[in-house]
């Protein structure tokens, strides 16, 4: 079954890890086992947020298209349309990465 859009619930965030470069500086191809796990990811979709004590949703701080830094062993791995994604809570995101403008 092919999905057009996946919308996480509450404070969940759907991210896709950025693929690491598989060549060393000298042009040597590194095997997958020798590559460090990349902690950078691109936000694909974001839930509505989490409810506060008054029942009002607090909107998430990240949005689709943002680059974020994740802890190494957090989140749930999911496969959607033969693509690997990670479903994490917003509170597990360590930082939002901003691209330097020239």
């Amino acid at each position: 079954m092919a999905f057009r859009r996946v919308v996480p619930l509450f404070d969940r965030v759907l991210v896709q890890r950025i693929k690491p470069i598989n060549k060393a500086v000298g042009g040597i191809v590194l095997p997958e086992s020798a590559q460090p796990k990349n902690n950078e990811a691109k936000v694909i979709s974001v839930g509505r947020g989490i409810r506060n004590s008054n029942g009002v949703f607090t909107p998430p701080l990240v949005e689709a298209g943002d680059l974020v830094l994740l802890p190494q062993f957090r989140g749930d791995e999911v496969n959607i349309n033969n693509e690997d994604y990670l479903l994490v809570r917003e509170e597990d995101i360590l930082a939002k990465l901003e691209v330097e403008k020239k």
Side-chain angles (χ1 to χ4, degrees):
M1 180 182 315
F3 297 100
R4 288 189 294 167
R5 185 168 177 227
V6 177
V7 181
L9 299 177
F10 304 111
D11 66 333
R12 304 262 198 253
V13 180
L14 184 70
V15 298
Q16 187 171 32
R17 288 194 188 268
I18 296 173
K19 307 243 186 294
I21 298 171
N22 61 355
K23 283 190 179 179
V25 176
I28 300 171
V29 177
L30 298 172
E32 198 169 308
S33 62
Q35 295 174 6
K37 196 166 191 179
N38 194 359
N39 291 352
E40 294 177 16
K42 181 178 179 181
V43 176
I44 304 299
S45 184
V46 181
R48 285 182 64 183
I50 195 163
R51 288 183 195 255
N52 63 18
S53 59
N54 297 330
V56 179
F57 278 100
T58 302
L61 298 174
V62 295
E63 55 190 40
D66 286 346
L67 294 177
V68 294
L69 191 62
L70 301 172
Q72 194 163 359
F73 300 108
R74 287 285 172 105
D76 297 310
E77 294 180 1
V78 293
N79 188 300
I80 302 168
N81 296 339
N82 295 322
E83 294 273 342
D84 291 326
Y85 296 95
L86 201 59
L87 196 56
V88 297
R89 288 187 174 273
E90 184 187 24
E91 66 187 28
D92 291 338
I93 295 174
L94 300 175
K96 185 174 166 180
L97 305 173
E98 294 182 356
V99 178
E100 190 174 302
K101 296 179 183 175
K102 293 183 180 183

